[in-house]
């Protein structure tokens, strides 16, 4: 077992090595070229999988430079999933430590957004909370406790990542003129209503409202109060309706006992 582990470790090290002529120590000289072919095919597959997972990052830097980023990322990995469908976890963190950050400071957050889109598209199915699920519970809404739908993520950035993403991915593929992008922070809700990934920007109040509900465990009344502290213009009714339409909440909600209803 020790010898077998040593072989596999050496094989993996040679695959990740930056030297193009690297081969496992146990390989005979006559097999070096065969390993090189295999190594190139493996790397090409990983580069392509990374490009498929982060298409907007690829557009922003160009195919050639993206391959160089992919090469560095592959060589930096210490572990990876056995499936290429979700390949590329950690790519945003890799970009955050790359010199490209100086010229494209928003690139890691674009990668985080694309990772969220990928994960949301493959997340577990669950029934989203709909408006008709709340029929007859109007008097209990204030004390209701909600959780986020499994196919839901919030991505916050100091950069206008939604505007940048939309400029690179115009609706229906229509290319317009030069897009003017205002430098400002943006927070996005990424969901999967009706089995399609959807993104929509959140105001400061909506961000606090949703986070208070789904991460801090506050009830609707408390979350609303927190949102109003952050944003005096926050309007709970249209915002709550927007979250429901987006499929952002799990249908399994809770109303504490003592309010006329048992836990759902």
């Amino acid at each position: 077992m020790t010898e077998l582990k040593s072989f596999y470790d050496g094989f993996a090290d040679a695959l990740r090595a930056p030297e193009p002529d690297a081969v496992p120590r146990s390989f005979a000289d006559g097999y070096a070229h065969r390993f090189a072919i295999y190594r190139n095919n493996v790397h090409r597959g990983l580069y392509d999988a990374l490009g498929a997972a982060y298409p907007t990052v690829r557009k922003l830097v160009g195919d050639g430079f993206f391959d160089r980023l992919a090469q560095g990322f592959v060589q930096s990995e210490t572990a990876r999933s056995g499936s290429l469908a979700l390949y590329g976890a950690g790519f945003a963190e890799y970009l955050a430590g790359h010199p490209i950050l100086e010229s494209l400071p928003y690139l890691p957050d674009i990668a985080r957004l694309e990772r969220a889109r990928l994960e949301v598209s493959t997340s577990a199915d669950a029934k989203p909370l709909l408006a008709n699920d709340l029929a007859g519970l109007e008097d209990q809404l204030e004390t209701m406790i909600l959780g986020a739908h499994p196919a839901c993520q919030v991505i916050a950035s100091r950069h206008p990542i939604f505007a940048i993403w939309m400029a690179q991915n115009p609706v229906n593929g229509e290319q317009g003129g030069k897009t003017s992008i205002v430098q400002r922070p943006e927070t996005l809700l990424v969901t999967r209503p009706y089995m399609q990934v959807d993104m929509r920007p959140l105001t400061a109040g909506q961000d606090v409202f949703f986070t208070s509900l789904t991460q801090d465990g506050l009830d609707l009344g408390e979350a609303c109060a927190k949102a109003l502290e952050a944003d005096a213009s926050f309007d709970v009714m249209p915002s709550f309706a927007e979250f429901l339409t987006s499929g952002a909440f799990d249908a399994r909600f809770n109303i504490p006992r003592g309010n006329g209803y048992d836990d759902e």
Side-chain angles (χ1 to χ4, degrees):
M1 180 62 73
T2 301
E3 291 182 3
L4 186 60
K5 182 180 185 304
S6 178
F7 172 79
Y8 282 130
D9 288 345
F11 193 91
D13 289 342
L15 280 178
R16 290 196 298 265
E19 299 81 14
D21 57 349
V23 294
R25 290 186 299 273
S26 59
F27 269 37
D29 292 340
Y31 291 95
H33 70 287
R34 298 186 183 183
F35 180 79
I37 294 172
Y38 174 77
R39 182 177 185 269
N40 289 339
N41 288 338
V42 168
H43 283 211
R44 184 71 261 169
L46 293 175
Y47 300 168
D48 291 345
L50 197 67
Y54 299 93
T56 305
V57 173
R58 185 167 199 146
K59 290 178 184 178
L60 288 166
V61 303
D63 291 344
F65 192 79
F66 186 88
D67 277 357
R68 292 198 290 276
L69 288 174
Q71 181 181 25
F73 175 70
V74 169
Q75 292 173 356
S76 72
E77 289 183 294
T78 57
R80 71 171 64 104
S81 169
S83 170
L84 291 182
L86 287 173
Y87 180 68
F91 188 51
E93 289 74 15
Y94 172 77
L95 293 176
H98 194 278
I100 196 173
L101 199 64
E102 296 180 10
S103 56
L104 298 176
Y106 51 80
L107 201 63
D109 286 349
I110 294 294
R112 289 176 56 228
L113 175 58
E114 296 211 278
R115 184 68 191 181
R117 288 177 56 85
L118 178 62
E119 291 179 353
V120 161
S121 71
T122 58
S123 294
D125 290 330
K127 184 181 183 301
L129 181 67
L130 303 176
N132 58 14
D133 294 324
L134 304 175
L137 300 175
E138 292 80 4
D139 293 340
Q140 308 299 317
L141 286 178
E142 187 174 355
T143 58
M144 187 174 292
I145 298 175
L146 302 175
H149 191 277
C152 174
Q153 293 191 32
V154 173
I155 302 297
S157 174
R158 295 183 293 106
H159 307 284
I161 54 173
F162 183 64
I164 294 170
W165 192 93
M166 290 298 294
Q168 295 296 321
N169 301 278
V171 178
N172 299 324
E174 297 176 359
Q175 296 290 342
K178 186 176 181 180
T179 303
S180 178
I181 296 176
V182 179
Q183 178 57 47
R184 61 185 178 188
E186 287 184 339
T187 299
L188 300 184
L189 177 73
V190 185
T191 55
R192 193 189 62 201
Y194 313 112
M195 304 308 292
Q196 289 188 330
V197 176
D198 179 53
M199 302 185 302
R200 60 184 67 200
L202 298 181
T203 66
Q206 289 174 329
D207 181 21
V208 171
F209 178 70
F210 189 73
T211 300
S212 298
L213 279 171
T214 61
Q215 295 185 22
D216 300 338
L218 302 185
D219 62 34
L220 272 164
E222 294 167 331
C224 182
K226 285 284 187 182
L228 285 169
E229 290 177 8
D231 181 1
S233 64
F234 174 73
D235 192 338
V236 64
M237 293 309 294
S239 293
F240 189 47
E242 187 174 335
F243 283 118
L244 291 175
T245 302
S246 299
F249 296 119
D250 195 303
R252 294 165 291 185
F253 58 86
N254 175 276
I255 301 176
R257 296 180 186 275
N259 290 280
Y261 290 86
D262 290 336
D263 293 346
E264 293 289 334

